Amino acid sequence: MSILDSKIPEGPIDQKWTNHKNQMKLVAPNNRPKIDVIVVGTGLAGASAAASLGEMGYNVKSFCFQDSPRRAHSIAAQGGINAAKNYQNDGDSTYRLFYDTIKGGDYRSRESNVYRLAEVSANIIDQCVAQGVPFAREYGGLLDNRSFGGVQVRRTFYAAGQTGQQLLLGAYSALSRQIGLGRVKMYNRHEMMDIVKVDGNARGIIARNLVSGKLERHSAHAVVIASGGYGNVYFLSTNAMGSNVSAAWKIHKKGALFANPCYVQIHPTCIPVHGTNQSKLTLMSESLRNSGRIWVPKKKEDADAIRNGKLKPTQIAEEDRDYYLERRYPAFGHLVPRDVASRAAKERCDAGFGIEANDTNEGVYLDFASEIKSKGKQVAYAQGDHNPNEETTIRLGKKWVEEKYGNLFQMYQQITAENPYETPMKIYPAVHYTMGGVWVDYNLQSTIPGCFVAGEANFSDHGANRLGASALMQGLADGYFVLPYTIANYLSNEIRTGEISTDSKEFENAEMDVAESISSLMHVKGNRSVDHFHKRLGLIMWNKVGMSRSEAGLKSAIAEIKGLRDEFYNDVFIPGESNEMNAELEKALRVADLLELGQLMAVDALNRNESCGGHFREEYQDDEGETLRDDKKFKYVSAWEYKDREATNSALHKEDLKYEAIKIAERNYK
């Protein structure tokens, strides 16, 4: 019998969540102060969960390794948040959002979870508006929307190019209120080192005070992991440098299965790599694909001349430009899903048409000239000028673009020293989001009873490819509208448990294990920095477990990562002491986990003999370079059980995916 029980409710898909809520057990308000809950992470999922649970009356302990919850990486999200409100009356609905998400994930999502996400999406916008989130509005006062990749409607709500920041500030304000009322106790600069299980149930964590270096024991009746994704396994990504997999990996090592680790999203609109000493990449919002047109020169000699500085993109005639997304995918054009757009850019650059003068000649143009002219004419017409001259058209068009995307254009110019109003942006795909994560059931509970996982840290909603603007939606849905119900159902049996003691042998043993692992790393005293190993891991992952994968490359990656991991434990050098603030020790502990995860990602990718979404195996593609899924053999969630440090020893468990409300079909954006 499989150890996986997804606990999907019975009944029609549009009634599952409502019926499930009606049947779940509750914790009465007078009993909630008797119960402690730990929330690890303060991004959108963690902050919204901690704020909601605190407001309900539970005693909440919230942990973040940053100096403030506002530093969580959710703040970096730019483009928007999806919701099926159909303000534009263009055919959107809960079902349409559900369908687009399933299709965008290449039919590798759990149907029931995705429908619930679409169902609660409208509530998220109302919640955020009530918190004062300054969403963009149309002239008449209604909230504005824009389109994102993989859809044919406008359902993305936004706040200029800083939607994540504004949403996080809303969640942070709710969290701060609960901190002020004493219902949430905030532990800044604390990092979770391990989870503590008592009689098989999650009962607390071991945390390290990153300022003093001291290990601390914290108990609770339930633990929520909301620590984000694992994109930093590639070293170069759009993630904050501190983002890591450690909290999720610690619970994986204690019995929580890790699902679909090979599903990684490559975002098509990032600023290209410009040097070997670069430490991270910068995302340019997908919202820019609403207005920008992506192209490369049709002639290789023009691409060569651009890379050599002998030709400017503005000197390339319109007929000599290849708008390859419009050419290949006329129905969606520049708004194809991220995985499709990313592979198309790679194909053009691999063929020799890249325009960036970096080591790999990888880069394409995102051009706003057409939009500036088009919108300039529209604005002039609205102002009564029905035949504007070119100067007026350009001036008004630039002003329109600035109002929509101004801060993004400023950011690009500050980084590249190029004016995107005058010359096209240079972009290229980069690692952005991870669809895999800890396996959870319909209640967001992992295979460790009492350990729940929310947001990007779990696997549940995006399948093999996430649609743009759905990450913020999932994080807030989990924290505001799912966990408060499902965790109460679990905690209803904890009313009589009483306070969990941290003096038990389980807490003592967990703290000793953490101290021993830290001590062993500190005593290596090798010759190489932590970043040395992280960069080498990143190169292996990008080249062999990145945008394109092959059987030979994956087998090579598995062996290379094993060798690199052995070298790490024999030659890493960590200066300073463990009983003090030590940033290198923090990184070393995280990279140790990434070295194990990276190998599991390669094992998972090697096991999945198909191409789907962000998982592209070179052996499984059609004549036009599109993905070839194998629904007969691989229509399942791969959930891995940890055995030891060597990922090839991990045990695979399968959750079969059943589609009742949607008919599986070819994913076609042409």
Side-chain angles (χ1 to χ4, degrees):
M1 181 178 176
S2 173
I3 64 174
L4 298 177
D5 180 5
S6 57
K7 295 184 172 65
I8 299 172
E10 297 293 330
I13 196 163
D14 59 346
Q15 297 175 27
K16 287 182 186 292
W17 179 232
T18 299
N19 292 340
H20 192 53
K21 287 189 293 183
N22 291 338
Q23 295 168 10
M24 281 191 285
K25 298 176 183 177
L26 301 176
V27 179
N30 59 304
N31 285 323
R32 294 171 194 164
K34 304 174 185 176
I35 294 176
D36 301 323
V37 180
I38 285 174
V39 180
V40 179
T42 57
L44 287 181
S48 59
S52 299
L53 295 172
E55 189 166 2
M56 294 171 72
Y58 297 105
N59 297 315
V60 180
K61 301 176 183 178
S62 179
F63 292 81
C64 71
F65 65 78
Q66 299 96 340
D67 57 357
S68 166
R70 291 180 299 171
R71 300 276 189 187
H73 186 59
S74 297
I75 204 169
Q78 299 168 345
I81 176 172
N82 289 330
K85 278 187 170 289
N86 196 31
Y87 280 171
Q88 272 64 41
N89 198 30
D90 57 359
D92 202 10
S93 65
T94 296
Y95 182 86
R96 178 65 64 179
L97 174 52
F98 161 62
Y99 172 79
D100 287 342
T101 304
I102 292 284
K103 178 183 176 183
D106 220 348
Y107 301 92
R108 292 295 178 262
S109 311
R110 185 191 288 157
E111 196 180 58
S112 57
N113 288 64
V114 176
Y115 193 91
R116 177 177 62 188
L117 177 64
E119 190 177 356
V120 305
S121 65
N123 296 337
I124 299 171
I125 304 303
D126 297 338
Q127 170 95 355
C128 294
V129 169
Q131 290 174 338
V133 173
F135 287 120
R137 293 181 181 268
E138 294 179 332
Y139 179 78
L142 287 177
L143 298 182
D144 196 11
N145 289 129
R146 54 192 178 200
S147 295
F148 261 60
V151 306
Q152 293 177 307
V153 297
R154 291 169 59 189
R155 68 162 65 101
T156 303
F157 296 79
Y158 65 97
Q162 50 187 239
T163 312
Q165 179 181 13
Q166 299 302 329
L167 291 173
L168 187 62
L169 289 174
Y172 175 69
S173 67
L175 176 62
S176 295
R177 180 171 181 270
Q178 299 308 314
I179 294 172
L181 293 172
R183 294 172 182 157
V184 175
K185 187 170 183 181
M186 190 69 231
Y187 292 87
N188 299 332
R189 299 295 287 140
H190 280 69
E191 186 159 17
M192 173 182 158
M193 294 284 104
D194 206 354
I195 193 168
V196 180
K197 296 199 303 184
V198 179
D199 296 329
N201 297 322
R203 291 303 192 197
I205 67 170
I206 304 299
R208 181 171 180 266
N209 184 321
L210 299 182
V211 176
S212 67
K214 180 182 177 182
L215 296 180
E216 301 175 1
R217 305 176 187 179
H218 296 274
S219 66
H221 298 87
V223 176
V224 177
I225 304 298
S227 53
Y230 49 89
N232 269 352
V233 69
Y234 291 88
F235 188 74
L236 281 179
S237 77
T238 67
N239 287 237
M241 287 300 293
S243 297
N244 63 86
V245 76
S246 288
W249 198 251
K250 300 307 185 191
I251 68 171
H252 174 52
K253 294 173 77 168
K254 284 295 182 69
L257 303 191
F258 208 93
N260 297 337
C262 76
Y263 289 162
V264 176
Q265 180 166 86
I266 312 295
H267 198 294
T269 54
C270 301
I271 298 177
V273 175
H274 60 75
T276 56
N277 293 321
Q278 196 168 345
S279 59
K280 77 176 299 293
L281 299 173
T282 302
L283 169 70
M284 300 309 299
S285 170
E286 181 175 337
S287 64
L288 295 173
R289 288 201 276 154
N290 276 276
S291 297
R293 300 176 71 194
I294 298 173
W295 64 275
V296 293
K298 287 183 178 179
K299 304 173 184 176
K300 287 186 178 180
E301 55 265 33
D302 286 346
D304 290 337
I306 287 174
R307 291 195 299 267
N308 293 325
K310 298 177 181 179
L311 196 63
K312 296 180 179 179
T314 51
Q315 295 173 315
I316 303 292
E318 187 73 14
E319 60 270 18
D320 292 328
R321 300 180 180 191
D322 179 13
Y323 295 96
Y324 56 87
L325 291 178
E326 297 176 24
R327 169 173 55 83
R328 291 182 61 175
Y329 308 101
F332 281 74
H334 300 290
L335 291 177
V336 292
R338 292 174 175 178
D339 63 314
V340 177
S342 294
R343 282 194 297 274
K346 183 179 188 300
E347 185 276 330
R348 287 290 80 195
C349 292
D350 287 350
F353 295 93
I355 51 81
E356 178 67 309
N358 52 22
D359 291 344
T360 53
N361 297 330
E362 292 174 331
V364 299
Y365 285 124
L366 180 60
D367 196 333
F368 296 89
S370 297
E371 185 80 334
I372 288 172
K373 292 178 181 178
S374 173
K375 296 303 181 184
K377 289 179 180 178
Q378 289 182 23
V379 174
Y381 195 96
Q383 294 177 351
D385 185 353
H386 294 182
N387 190 27
N389 59 37
E390 184 174 357
E391 181 182 353
T392 300
T393 299
I394 298 299
R395 176 175 56 80
L396 293 176
K398 287 181 178 178
K399 184 178 180 182
W400 185 93
V401 169
E402 183 178 10
E403 290 175 355
K404 289 284 184 180
Y405 311 108
N407 63 312
L408 296 172
F409 278 54
Q410 292 172 11
M411 181 175 70
Y412 180 88
Q413 186 166 1
Q414 289 174 354
I415 293 171
T416 65
E418 293 183 349
N419 184 349
Y421 293 103
E422 305 293 339
T423 189
M425 287 184 179
K426 296 175 182 177
I427 60 168
Y428 193 70
V431 173
H432 178 57
Y433 186 92
T434 51
M435 285 75 67
V438 178
W439 185 91
V440 292
D441 61 19
Y442 188 74
N443 295 323
L444 304 187
Q445 185 171 218
S446 71
T447 43
I448 299 175
C451 180
F452 295 77
V453 187
E456 191 180 355
N458 74 33
F459 88 101
S460 66
D461 291 351
H462 307 296
N465 173 63
R466 177 177 68 81
L467 291 184
S470 287
L472 307 186
M473 177 175 61
Q474 187 209 345
L476 292 180
D478 287 355
Y480 282 137
F481 299 111
V482 179
L483 269 177
Y485 291 95
T486 60
I487 203 170
N489 184 61
Y490 173 82
L491 293 172
S492 63
N493 296 318
E494 299 293 330
I495 297 169
R496 297 177 180 84
T497 301
E499 186 176 352
I500 307 294
S501 172
T502 58
D503 293 330
S504 66
K505 67 180 186 301
E506 289 86 355
F507 274 91
E508 181 180 350
N509 291 340
E511 183 179 341
M512 288 176 59
D513 289 345
V514 171
E516 184 178 326
S517 64
I518 291 174
S519 176
S520 63
L521 275 177
M522 293 298 299
H523 282 88
V524 174
K525 300 300 181 186
N527 300 299
R528 301 289 189 179
S529 70
V530 176
D531 276 351
H532 167 82
F533 293 99
H534 195 178
K535 287 182 178 180
R536 286 173 59 189
L537 173 64
L539 285 173
I540 296 170
M541 296 299 297
W542 178 248
N543 291 328
K544 298 177 180 179
V545 201
M547 211 182 328
S548 184
R549 298 138 182 210
S550 68
E551 180 179 2
L554 291 169
K555 288 180 177 178
S556 174
I558 292 169
E560 288 181 48
I561 294 172
K562 181 184 185 301
L564 182 64
R565 191 176 64 234
D566 292 342
E567 189 179 337
F568 172 82
Y569 283 106
N570 285 290
D571 201 27
V572 70
F573 174 69
I574 305 171
E577 303 293 335
S578 62
N579 59 349
E580 63 183 9
M581 182 182 286
N582 190 333
E584 284 299 298
L585 175 58
E586 293 174 35
K587 286 195 292 184
L589 291 166
R590 297 166 188 165
V591 170
D593 293 328
L594 292 173
L595 284 163
E596 294 184 16
L597 166 70
Q599 192 182 44
L600 181 64
M601 292 169 66
V603 168
D604 188 41
L606 183 63
N607 176 76
R608 189 169 285 276
N609 294 320
E610 65 167 351
S611 291
C612 57
H615 169 64
F616 187 76
R617 285 282 297 270
E618 294 171 5
E619 302 93 336
Y620 306 101
Q621 57 179 307
D622 63 19
D623 294 338
E624 296 180 334
E626 306 295 342
T627 57
L628 282 180
R629 287 196 328 262
D630 187 341
D631 295 324
K632 290 184 179 180
K633 296 181 180 178
F634 295 98
K635 187 166 58 68
Y636 61 76
V637 176
S638 57
W640 296 90
E641 180 183 359
Y642 187 88
K643 295 296 184 181
D644 54 41
R645 190 176 286 171
E646 184 62 27
T648 53
N649 296 328
S650 295
L652 173 62
H653 301 269
K654 300 176 182 179
E655 178 196 344
D656 291 330
L657 293 169
K658 299 177 182 178
Y659 293 97
E660 300 170 352
I662 282 182
K663 182 180 179 181
I664 295 182
E666 293 279 335
R667 194 171 62 134
N668 188 346
Y669 294 97
K670 296 180 179 180

